[in-house]
Structure formats: C-alpha cells, structure tokens
Amino acid sequence: MAWVTLEDVKHHLRYDDDASDLTLSMYVKAAESAIARYITEEIPATGTDDIKVAALMLIGYFDENRNAGKDTPTNGNYLPAPVVSMLYPYRKPTAT
C-alpha cells in the first residue's frame, strides 16, 4: 500500500528541502496504517483520489500537531473529522 509518495507529501506541505524526510516518511506510514484500519471496504491497492487526499490531510495533521497537548484539536476519535469525512464512503457501519 503506497497511496502517497514522499514527494507528494512534500509538495502538499510545501517543504523545499530534505531535512524532514525521515519524519515525513514515518507520517506517511502511520497515516496509511491508520486509514487502512479505519476503512472496511475493499479498495484498489493504489487507492483512490479521496483516500489519497485523506492521507495527505492526516499527514498534515501529524506535521502540525507533532506533540499531543491540551491545545491539539480532537473530536474524540483518533482521526480528524475532515479525514473521517473523506473516508466515510469506504466504511460500513457496525452495530454494537
């Protein structure tokens, strides 16, 4: 699963150098893992445009909120609301 590349992320976040490549690469893996755990529908291995956008948004969230603190935006879930909105079509509701 490689929905976004490091170059995609650097372009999205407007990074011009390689100083943050290691951290951004970890964010890519973490975002793709979190999204894969969230969605329940089968999707192409290359992803879809909305899943790629969700991954970029989540990576941006990780980059902006490097340390979880009292001022970190949260909605009570582990994924930010805009990311959940992008992924909603790929998740079947579950009854509890």
Side-chain angles (χ1 to χ4, degrees), residues 15-94:
Y15 277 88
D16 293 332
D17 59 35
D18 299 335
S20 299
D21 283 6
L22 181 61
T23 302
L24 294 175
S25 294
M26 289 188 293
Y27 291 164
V28 168
K29 291 176 187 173
E32 289 183 344
S33 179
I35 290 170
R37 285 190 308 270
Y38 182 79
I39 59 178
T40 58
E41 298 291 316
E42 290 292 322
I43 58 163
T46 56
T48 61
D49 286 343
D50 45 357
I51 290 175
K52 291 175 185 181
V53 169
L56 290 171
M57 289 191 318
L58 186 54
I59 294 162
Y61 178 85
F62 291 158
D63 189 52
E64 187 172 322
N65 300 284
R66 292 176 181 233
N67 298 304
K70 64 181 176 76
D71 296 327
T72 302
T74 181
N75 62 0
N77 297 308
Y78 74 96
L79 292 175
V83 174
V84 171
S85 295
M86 295 297 293
L87 299 175
Y88 186 75
Y90 302 99
R91 183 175 171 86
K92 288 182 186 173
T94 56

